[in-house]
Each structure stands twice: as C-alpha cells, then as structure tokens.
Amino acid sequence: MSKLTTHVLDTMHGSPAAGMQVRLYRLPDEEAAPALLLKSLRLNDDGRADAPLLAGAEFSPGRYRLVFAVADYFKARGVRLPEPAFLDQVPLDFGIADASLHYHVPLLASPWSYSTYRGS
C-alpha cells in the first residue's frame, strides 16, 4: 500500500522516542509561499504514528517536511540540555516522486546528533 510513515529512535536511551511531537507539512512549489501544515501528532510507545501520515488520495507526489521536536522530547525525559539546546526542532525536507510506493522516513536522534534515511 502506498503511504508515508515515520519512526523515531532515541539513541541516547536506546529506546523508541515515545511521546515526541511531529508535524508534517506540504512544501509549496514556489519558495515564497508558506508551507501547509497537514498533521501534528505525538508518537506512540513504539516511537511511531498510530496511522500512516499520508495514505490513499492524500498521498501524492510533492515536497514535504517533517519537523521533530527533539529538545522538548529530551527535556521531558529529564535530560538537562543547554539553553539554547544544540538541537531543538529537527526539520527533514524530502520528496515523494512515486505515489505508488511506501515512503518511510525514520529518525535516529540524541540531544547532539541525528540521522535519517529512506526506510522500508
């Protein structure tokens, strides 16, 4: 099934990033136009959204942005962060070229680093 999903792993604690806030935006074709907020959610106990971020007719080619609230998540876990935090909101811009495929955008995060890749 064609869809967009995400998953966040907390590499500092070696666990899913349960409760992290994530926002999904559709990016405009014109750079001057504002991004359109499509969804705002908190990740479940497995560090995943309870449902696909996009699926069916709403899943279409284009440019998107996921924004992960990394600093707020680690603060909620009791991690003492400097002010300002080294990483606060982590934005990932990506494109969906083929709406017949599954796009999975995972994030591996700590207070000091992050990485991503196109998962399956």
Side-chain angles (χ1 to χ4, degrees):
M1 176 171 114
S2 58
K3 60 186 173 183
L4 172 65
T5 57
T6 192
H7 184 204
V8 182
L9 295 175
D10 171 345
T11 58
M12 179 180 193
H13 296 101
S15 64
M20 183 180 285
Q21 181 183 7
V22 179
R23 294 184 316 275
L24 173 66
Y25 295 88
R26 172 86 185 217
L27 299 177
D29 293 332
E30 302 171 19
E31 288 195 30
L36 174 65
L37 177 64
L38 299 176
K39 292 207 172 145
S40 181
L41 60 117
R42 291 212 177 265
L43 300 178
N44 64 23
D45 289 345
D46 195 33
R48 299 175 186 271
D50 288 328
L53 301 175
L54 295 173
E58 65 182 1
F59 184 70
S60 61
R63 295 173 45 240
Y64 294 87
R65 173 178 294 146
L66 281 167
V67 180
F68 300 88
V70 171
D72 287 347
Y73 164 80
F74 282 106
K75 287 176 187 175
R77 295 270 332 240
V79 176
R80 291 185 57 202
L81 299 177
E83 190 58 46
F86 181 69
L87 294 177
D88 185 6
Q89 305 283 314
V90 171
L92 297 179
D93 291 2
F94 61 96
I96 293 174
D98 185 346
S100 70
L101 301 175
H102 176 193
Y103 283 74
H104 183 65
V105 183
L107 182 74
L108 309 174
S110 82
W112 316 109
S113 68
Y114 68 91
S115 64
T116 191
Y117 54 95
R118 179 166 174 208
S120 58

